[in-house]
Amino acid sequence: MVLNFDVLIIGSGLAGQSAALRLADHCSVALISKRKLEDSASGWAQGGIAAVLDNRDSIEAHIQDTFVAGAWLNDEKATRFVVENGRSAIEWLIEQGVPFTKDESGYHLTREGGHSARRVIHVADATGAAVQQTLTEKVRKHPKIRVFEDHIAVDLITGKKLGTDENRCFGAYVLNSVSGDVLTIGAANTLLATGGAGKVYLFTTNPDTSTGDGIAMAWRAGCRVANMEFIQFHPTCLYHPNAKSFLISEAVRGEGGLLKLPDGTRFMPEHDEREELAPRDIVARAIDFEMKKRGLDCVYLDISHKGEAFIREHFPNIHARCLELGIDITREPIPVVPAAHYTCGGIVCDLDGHTDVAGLYVAGEASCTGLHGANRLASNSLLECLVFSEAAVKDMLAQKPAPLPALPDWDDSRVTDADEEVVISHNWDELRRFMWDYVGIVRTTKRLKRAEHRVRLLKREINEFYANFRVSHDLIELRNLVLTAELIIRCAMLRKESRGLHYSPDYPDMAAKPRNTTLKPRRQKR
């Protein structure tokens, strides 16, 4: 079945939904969501959105903080572009009806690790959920946005796939995860808003949908990727057997939360002069160091000294969730561990969100815009989603739509039903475990070589499985995940220094000149 639209958006987080709403008054839009519209990493964001909204703050200060956190690998033009467009991005969300938290002076701004000022606008401690809910209601009601829930993109349709030399994207093949049918969706322009790849690791704060789909599809389509070694590990994920991927917001430390050992002793002052307000990579490494040194399962984050009224007002959702698990954060500390949180690298794009393939754009965590450098500054991610999705929309609308060629239906005539699905689950588990052990917070050359060997064996096995059996939701995710893992390992092996989120005892010093780690796919003969 072939369906044609003006724009195909793959991914239903903040980048995807904001782009859809901006486009829908001008053209027809297809919006692909792997699960429901609400199920994205954007909806899980607790802290807020960083933007210069206070007269005591400045654009230059926000840029400087971003560069310091990013270990000076940030692209200056991209960083300035995002920061300078911060206020207008927030104003657009306010126009959409997002109920940001207010105080006596207007909107309440909090401060998070790495920021020199209060500049994080938020909705209590559930900003992402509030933003997502507001936009989702509008998306569902818009007559020119067709939503495909429980659908997952299999691969992009490019000139190469059609047997021509044209370096252009014409849409994608998309699996209906419920019926098993594969749709052919044609579009003059396609936006990848698929999020990151946190599920490549055993422990992550990401939802199950974060499997590197857009990065893998873009790589197969011929796009460069860069800086994939910079995986941000959030320092404080709730450590509890019944709490899956529950994040304890950066804002808890921003509002005075203290990190402690089991005996109540603080340890951050020994690791960094900024103590609990140091950037995430430093805090995550400090926790990892203390846990390994002392044989701990976790450390503790204590905000109880701020009092019950303060905690209930500022962190109602964290308080409620912890209470469900028997932890009263008004009286006792929160057990926490680091977990894979954000993919700072991704698909290389310009300031219009355009990739190396004509008609293919990217926005959000799947991209490498140059904003984050070697480490993302807290709460810059949702801002990047908004600014680059708007830039991509403007560029699409300024282009003359390319005519679509005849697109063939998905061909599954030469494959059969899988005989043993256990292969998928086993490989998924093996991949996530060795990535956690060998390509985690601290990496050595020896560990990376082990991971490289393992990932190549897995990749061959999975690709053979893909070639012989009908596609399924789990198989598509695993295929994308193993490729994304390989890209992470390759980038990590190329970086002969320690910078930002990439730390290697074999190369403990930072190089004098910051350089991106860019990978380019080989051109395959037709």
Side-chain angles (χ1 to χ4, degrees):
M1 184 179 185
V2 180
L3 301 172
N4 289 329
F5 295 85
D6 295 315
V7 179
L8 168 63
I9 299 174
I10 304 174
S12 61
L14 179 57
Q17 289 202 33
S18 59
L21 288 170
R22 291 180 185 276
L23 283 164
D25 289 338
H26 307 279
C27 58
S28 61
V29 179
L31 180 62
I32 307 299
S33 181
K34 283 172 72 171
R35 295 194 176 178
K36 303 304 175 190
L37 279 183
E38 297 83 358
D39 295 328
S40 74
S42 297
W44 288 34
Q46 294 176 353
I49 308 173
V52 178
L53 303 170
D54 191 311
N55 292 333
R56 292 166 293 185
D57 195 7
S58 70
I59 296 291
E60 297 306 321
H62 191 174
I63 291 172
Q64 177 72 8
D65 291 346
T66 302
F67 266 74
V68 170
W72 308 101
L73 189 65
N74 320 66
D75 180 86
E76 186 174 356
K77 287 184 179 179
T79 304
R80 184 169 294 278
F81 176 65
V82 173
V83 172
E84 288 182 345
N85 284 282
R87 179 181 285 272
S88 62
I90 299 300
E91 289 172 347
W92 184 79
L93 286 179
I94 292 171
E95 288 173 12
Q96 305 309 306
V98 175
F100 289 112
T101 297
K102 295 184 177 182
D103 58 18
E104 63 279 357
S105 60
Y107 288 105
H108 181 265
L109 302 177
T110 191
R111 182 181 172 190
E112 296 183 349
H115 289 275
S116 59
R118 287 183 172 267
R119 66 168 69 100
V120 180
I121 191 169
H122 61 101
V123 185
D125 61 345
T127 306
V131 171
Q132 192 86 343
Q133 182 180 355
T134 302
L135 299 189
T136 294
E137 289 176 3
K138 289 180 171 288
V139 166
R140 289 196 187 281
K141 292 176 183 177
H142 204 291
K144 295 192 76 174
I145 301 174
R146 183 165 173 188
V147 176
F148 293 81
E149 292 179 304
D150 296 311
H151 283 67
I152 179 172
V154 182
D155 243 336
L156 298 170
I157 303 172
T158 60
K160 183 173 70 175
K161 262 200 181 330
L162 299 178
T164 74
D165 291 324
E166 190 172 4
N167 185 34
R168 174 172 285 279
C169 179
F170 300 105
Y173 290 113
V174 178
L175 172 72
N176 181 328
S177 299
V178 178
S179 70
D181 298 327
V182 177
L183 304 176
T184 304
I185 300 184
N189 291 303
T190 298
L191 173 66
L192 293 171
T194 49
K199 292 298 286 187
V200 78
Y201 287 99
L202 187 61
F203 300 110
T204 178
T205 64
N206 291 179
D208 291 342
T209 52
S210 298
T211 52
D213 301 331
I215 296 168
M217 287 190 293
W219 174 262
R220 290 194 293 264
C223 295
R224 289 169 298 156
V225 302
N227 298 344
M228 289 295 293
E229 71 271 34
F230 297 121
I231 302 294
Q232 188 176 73
F233 288 80
H234 197 287
T236 53
C237 183
L238 180 62
Y239 179 73
H240 192 282
N242 297 327
K244 181 183 178 183
S245 308
F246 187 73
L247 175 69
I248 303 300
S249 169
E250 192 92 9
V252 174
R253 286 184 289 120
E255 294 292 345
L258 303 174
L259 284 163
K260 299 179 178 180
L261 298 172
D263 64 1
T265 305
R266 290 180 65 196
F267 58 85
M268 278 311 301
E270 297 177 14
H271 292 270
D272 194 277
E273 61 184 11
R274 290 163 290 186
E275 301 176 346
E276 277 78 9
L277 290 178
R280 289 174 175 174
D281 60 322
I282 293 171
V283 179
R285 273 204 302 276
I287 295 173
D288 184 67
F289 175 85
E290 296 293 342
M291 287 173 60
K292 287 176 178 173
K293 177 183 177 182
R294 304 172 192 277
L296 303 175
D297 292 327
C298 65
V299 296
Y300 294 87
L301 179 59
D302 193 357
I303 189 77
S304 62
H305 55 278
K306 298 292 284 189
E308 185 172 349
F310 180 91
I311 292 168
R312 283 181 176 272
E313 178 186 356
H314 286 82
F315 307 111
N317 292 286
I318 294 174
H319 175 260
R321 179 63 177 136
C322 287
L323 208 57
E324 289 175 5
L325 298 167
I327 305 166
D328 184 354
I329 68 173
T330 69
R331 299 175 182 275
E332 59 188 316
I334 309 164
V336 294
V337 291
H341 182 59
Y342 193 86
T343 309
C344 288
I347 306 160
V348 174
C349 68
D350 61 18
L351 293 185
D352 294 318
H354 207 276
T355 71
D356 294 331
V357 175
L360 182 63
Y361 297 78
V362 63
E365 195 174 349
S367 68
C368 184
T369 65
L371 170 66
H372 304 308
N375 182 18
R376 176 180 68 96
L377 180 65
S379 291
N380 268 357
S381 52
L382 295 184
L383 180 63
E384 182 187 43
C385 287
L386 290 163
V387 171
F388 271 91
S389 62
E390 180 184 12
V393 166
K394 285 182 178 179
D395 195 68
M396 288 179 197
L397 295 177
Q399 305 296 325
K400 183 179 179 181
L404 284 176
L407 301 179
D409 284 325
W410 178 257
D411 182 11
D412 61 0
S413 60
R414 290 171 291 180
V415 296
T416 61
D417 291 325
D419 50 1
E420 290 188 349
E421 295 284 347
V422 70
V423 173
I424 296 174
S425 60
H426 175 80
N427 286 351
W428 180 289
D429 184 61
E430 183 182 348
L431 173 69
R432 296 179 69 204
R433 286 185 180 278
F434 76 66
M435 285 297 290
W436 182 261
D437 291 338
Y438 301 148
V439 201
I441 295 172
V442 176
R443 302 154 180 176
T444 64
T445 302
K446 187 175 182 180
R447 289 177 187 172
L448 290 174
K449 285 182 177 178
R450 284 176 178 168
E452 181 185 41
H453 175 69
R454 298 283 284 279
V455 83
R456 285 179 176 171
L457 292 175
L458 272 185
K459 186 181 171 188
R460 280 200 295 270
E461 189 171 318
I462 292 163
N463 285 342
E464 182 183 351
F465 198 87
Y466 177 84
N468 289 294
F469 300 111
R470 286 192 175 86
V471 293
S472 66
H473 185 111
D474 290 346
L475 177 57
I476 293 167
E477 288 189 327
L478 180 61
R479 179 180 180 236
N480 292 333
L481 212 55
V482 75
L483 175 53
T484 306
E486 183 185 41
L487 296 174
I488 293 170
I489 295 164
R490 286 179 60 184
C491 283
M493 293 186 73
L494 287 172
R495 187 163 293 279
K496 307 299 185 183
E497 64 165 347
S498 289
R499 182 184 296 272
L501 298 165
H502 177 76
Y503 180 76
S504 171
D506 297 323
Y507 304 96
D509 299 322
M510 189 184 296
K513 186 176 181 180
R515 296 179 184 273
N516 292 318
T517 308
T518 305
L519 302 178
K520 185 177 182 180
R522 293 176 184 168
R523 290 285 293 179
Q524 294 180 349
K525 295 179 180 180
R526 288 195 285 114

